[in-house]
Amino acid sequence: MPQPTDQTRNFKPATLMVHGGTTRSGFGETSEALFLTQGFVYETAEAAEARFKGEEPGFIYSRYANPTTRMFEERMMALEGAGDARGTASGMAAVAAAIQCQVKAGDHVVAARALFGSCRYVVETVMARMGVDCTLVDGRNLDEWQKAVRPNTRVFFMETPTNPTLEVIDIAAVAAIAHAAGATLVVDNVFATPIHQKPLALGADVVVYSATKHIDGQGRCLGGIILSSKDWIDENLHDYYRHTGPALSPFNAWTLLKGLETLPLRVAQQTRSAATVADRLAESPKISRVLYPGREDHPDFAVARRQMAAGSTLVAFDVAGGKEAAFRFLNALRIILISNNLGDAKSLVTHPATTTHKNLSAEARAELGIDDGLVRLSLGLEDVEDLWDDIEGALNSI
Ligand SMILES: *Cc1c(COP(=O)(O)O)cnc(C)c1O
């Protein structure tokens, strides 16, 4: 595959997100070109043969790779410090491919139980159908990871901070247990964002994103990405990805490239707003619990401080009075919109117990700390004082 011409790897994130991975066409365009093409043509039959043999660089088919998609992959690799990457059609395509490409019937997966609903379906239900057993553990309890290990354990999987209660799992400690067991650690880094947390540097082997969230950040398109070392991608993902087709559309890759240009700015602003809102919520008599990894009263504050550059762009909190009070709060909001998405320019609020986590049993929800009064708030780019007025007004209406 052609490599970008500029050597931008040592730049800081804000610079990387504007210039990293850019490959210009012969027209010398300023903005990244959008290559809406399925295939590529060859000068001669010999050239086609050489490209298929891998003797000459170049693109073959957009299910394998595409110049616009490759720019997105290269920019993300630069940010993450990864040796290679593959863009995917959605975050779930990234999660499913990252796990499935490295297991076979008879293997075993260990996963932290506080997972995005679809991730839990993949590791529990899809894997079981393929003959791959899965053990779910409390991700913060290192003994549980250790005790879950079997001779056939191949993959450890987690997200941190978790959805929706923002628990923080010690990536370096879990990576050490995985590696001692001969397993690969895959981290879903969506909630942390690539700005606040670098799982590969902490010892993880593979990082996956739903680019649908902060990376697009403007509610436009779905996308995902898998990042790792070049060796891991070559050995595990390269053929699987080509032949099963989770490829990212070039149009969405282009949208995500433009999203990356403003990612550091947006995440910084959203994090500032989240920290402000978390501190003010903690003072409110209508709120019985605030969960924000950047606050000292967060149960995992020490781990968060060690492995994350800052808190989070989200805040979770319990509205005193359970479901009825939480619903009244949501319905009274005027700026903040009710939606299950996150990382958007628009502030979004969700009631996990009746939406994203409604398929879990009441016991499973209780185990994860998802009470009927729990609300998850994703901070957008609005002025924080307008957001706080909205929140305060809605709390007063309860
Ligand atoms: C949204 C999300 C996903 C799935 O991403 P899609 O792009 O919606 O497929 C996976 N993991 C986490 C933590 C998410 O928030």
Side-chain angles (χ1 to χ4, degrees):
M1 259 177 269
Q3 298 297 313
T5 47
D6 54 337
Q7 293 300 320
T8 51
R9 285 257 170 156
N10 294 326
F11 292 154
K12 295 192 169 56
T15 314
L16 279 178
M17 291 305 91
V18 176
H19 294 288
T22 302
T23 308
R24 294 202 161 78
S25 80
F27 293 113
E29 63 281 352
T30 310
S31 177
E32 297 75 8
L34 170 50
F35 290 93
L36 275 184
T37 182
Q38 298 161 341
F40 303 85
V41 297
Y42 314 94
E43 290 288 330
T44 61
E46 287 78 8
E49 182 184 30
R51 203 169 296 177
F52 269 77
K53 277 189 181 164
E55 288 167 357
E56 269 180 25
F59 294 95
I60 294 174
Y61 189 52
S62 284
R63 170 151 43 78
Y64 300 176
N66 169 281
T68 308
T69 303
R70 192 61 192 159
M71 281 193 267
F72 169 63
E73 291 165 351
E74 288 276 355
R75 193 167 289 181
M76 285 295 300
M77 284 155 58
L79 181 60
E80 203 71 45
D84 207 350
R86 293 290 183 276
T88 57
S90 67
M92 283 322 303
V95 170
I99 297 174
Q100 283 177 13
C101 76
Q102 49 175 335
V103 295
K104 59 179 188 322
D107 284 346
H108 175 239
V109 173
V110 185
R113 68 185 170 211
L115 290 179
F116 184 74
S118 301
C119 295
R120 196 153 159 164
Y121 179 82
V122 168
V123 294
E124 276 193 313
T125 309
V126 180
M127 289 294 131
R129 274 188 214 153
M130 295 170 57
V132 176
D133 271 354
C134 174
T135 305
L136 293 177
V137 298
D138 174 350
R140 292 171 304 174
N141 185 336
L142 297 176
D143 284 347
E144 287 196 23
W145 288 99
Q146 186 62 62
K147 286 195 186 118
V149 169
R150 300 182 194 165
N152 55 343
T153 302
R154 288 277 292 130
V155 180
F156 275 27
F157 177 63
M158 62 146 91
E159 59 187 70
T160 180
T162 63
N163 176 32
T165 53
L166 308 178
E167 292 173 359
V168 181
I169 303 176
D170 188 333
I171 295 174
V174 175
I177 298 169
H179 295 157
T184 302
L185 174 61
V186 179
V187 175
D188 177 336
N189 205 38
V190 168
F191 272 59
T193 81
I195 303 296
H196 288 339
Q197 182 169 277
K198 309 273 188 215
L200 296 179
L202 292 163
D205 302 285
V206 183
V207 182
V208 292
Y209 287 99
S210 164
T212 314
K213 310 295 167 54
H214 304 82
I215 293 173
D216 172 37
Q218 289 151 88
R220 301 168 296 194
C221 68
L222 298 179
I225 191 164
I226 304 166
L227 301 118
S228 184
S229 64
K230 186 164 182 336
D231 283 350
W232 186 88
I233 300 257
D234 282 348
E235 273 168 41
N236 297 279
L237 186 63
H238 181 80
D239 289 340
Y240 181 94
Y241 177 91
R242 285 184 165 212
H243 303 305
T244 61
L248 175 62
S249 118
F251 183 83
N252 289 359
W254 179 83
T255 310
L256 298 171
L257 267 168
K258 303 317 282 181
L260 283 177
E261 291 186 337
T262 56
L263 179 73
L265 283 174
R266 287 185 286 106
V267 168
Q269 172 67 30
Q270 290 167 333
T271 303
R272 271 195 300 276
S273 293
T276 302
V277 167
D279 287 344
R280 292 185 189 175
L281 285 171
E283 301 296 313
S284 169
K286 304 269 170 96
I287 302 298
S288 55
R289 180 176 65 149
V290 174
L291 295 166
Y292 186 68
R295 279 177 58 86
E296 280 184 31
D297 60 3
H298 188 282
D300 311 318
F301 178 68
V303 181
R305 188 177 200 166
R306 205 162 57 233
Q307 73 183 18
M308 298 181 70
S312 174
T313 64
L314 293 107
V315 190
F317 50 95
D318 273 316
V319 179
K323 177 182 166 186
E324 202 192 326
F327 271 32
R328 253 199 251 163
F329 170 71
L330 260 61
N331 291 335
L333 292 165
R334 291 289 163 261
I335 300 173
I336 300 170
L337 306 169
I338 302 170
S339 175
N340 42 288
N341 203 5
L342 62 105
D344 198 274
K346 295 175 171 62
S347 291
L348 304 175
V349 71
T350 188
H351 184 251
T354 54
T355 59
T356 53
H357 291 73
K358 76 163 177 31
N359 288 338
L360 293 180
S361 64
E363 299 81 66
R365 275 200 297 276
E367 218 174 45
L368 296 174
I370 304 173
D371 304 335
D372 286 348
L374 186 78
V375 167
R376 188 193 78 191
L377 174 62
S378 167
L379 278 299
L381 297 175
E382 305 93 337
D383 190 291
V384 70
E385 295 307 331
D386 286 338
L387 292 176
W388 180 251
D389 285 349
D390 199 26
I391 292 166
E392 204 174 31
L395 287 175
N396 286 338
S397 77
I398 298 172

